[in-house]
Amino acid sequence: MAENTNNSAVLETKEELTSYTTETNAGAGTGTSAIAPGYGTGRRKEAVARVRLVPGSGKWTINGRTLEEYFPSRLLQREVNSPIVLLKLEGKFDVIVLVDGGGTTGQAGAIRLGVARALNAIDRDANRHALKKAGFLTRDSRVVERKKAGLHKARRAPQFSKR
């Protein structure tokens, strides 16, 4: 008898968790996007990524290598794949990426923006709201500040001595 009350309490908490709050992905996709080829360019710091989405089985090719080879870090793999996961379109597109410049984190950010822009171009009506709400269509414009004359770095001045 006690087990049944525990199960009903668990079911009630699961139902409470599925209710939408500001923290949940209320704008997440339904997986009903059009499946068509698309193209998007992403930039982050010094990295530039040219992304092509082709209807397929979910295969990733980044500079001729697989996603796992190019980004061994699971965190970067998740970041790059996040727009597709958000829209619930896993396994529907093959992703072909040419990325150049910057470091691994900048390249991952550039690829994420390129994938989001490509998905937005494919089906603006179904995808734009969720991508925009998640912040995937916003270009992070922060870049390294240039070095100034008379300074060691952008702002680091030589050490001052009174005597």
Side-chain angles (χ1 to χ4, degrees):
M1 196 74 164
E3 290 176 18
N4 289 339
T5 56
N6 286 342
N7 287 342
S8 63
V10 169
L11 288 174
E12 288 174 6
T13 56
K14 283 185 181 179
E15 289 172 2
E16 289 171 16
L17 291 175
T18 57
S19 65
Y20 291 114
T21 63
T22 54
E23 285 86 30
T24 59
N25 287 336
T30 57
T32 59
S33 169
I35 307 300
Y39 177 81
T41 303
R43 291 181 194 84
R44 170 88 168 88
K45 294 186 175 182
E46 287 292 312
V48 179
R50 293 172 289 168
V51 178
R52 254 181 47 213
L53 294 181
V54 182
S57 59
K59 193 177 95 180
W60 280 80
T61 308
I62 304 174
N63 290 351
R65 296 192 282 174
T66 65
L67 178 66
E68 291 77 22
E69 283 178 41
Y70 200 83
F71 292 120
S73 166
R74 302 282 292 168
L75 183 70
L76 294 179
Q77 290 175 22
R78 202 168 327 142
E79 179 183 351
V80 162
N81 204 18
S82 54
I84 294 174
V85 171
L86 174 76
L87 296 174
K88 297 179 182 145
L89 297 172
E90 300 98 329
K92 303 226 168 138
F93 291 102
D94 286 344
V95 184
I96 300 150
V97 181
L98 292 175
V99 65
D100 186 37
T104 55
T105 311
Q107 287 186 352
I111 293 170
R112 184 181 84 171
L113 178 60
V115 168
R117 283 181 172 175
L119 288 168
N120 185 39
I122 288 170
D123 192 353
R124 192 171 295 257
D125 296 334
N127 299 339
R128 184 167 178 82
H129 177 71
L131 291 170
K132 191 138 178 88
K133 185 165 183 168
F136 292 154
L137 295 176
T138 305
R139 200 265 201 226
D140 189 352
S141 61
R142 295 175 298 168
V143 292
V144 177
E145 191 175 344
R146 78 172 194 86
K147 182 192 177 300
K148 279 81 172 188
L151 300 180
H152 288 304
K153 294 173 29 178
R155 298 185 182 200
R156 170 74 174 100
Q159 188 171 4
F160 175 74
S161 172
K162 283 187 180 176
R163 293 165 195 64

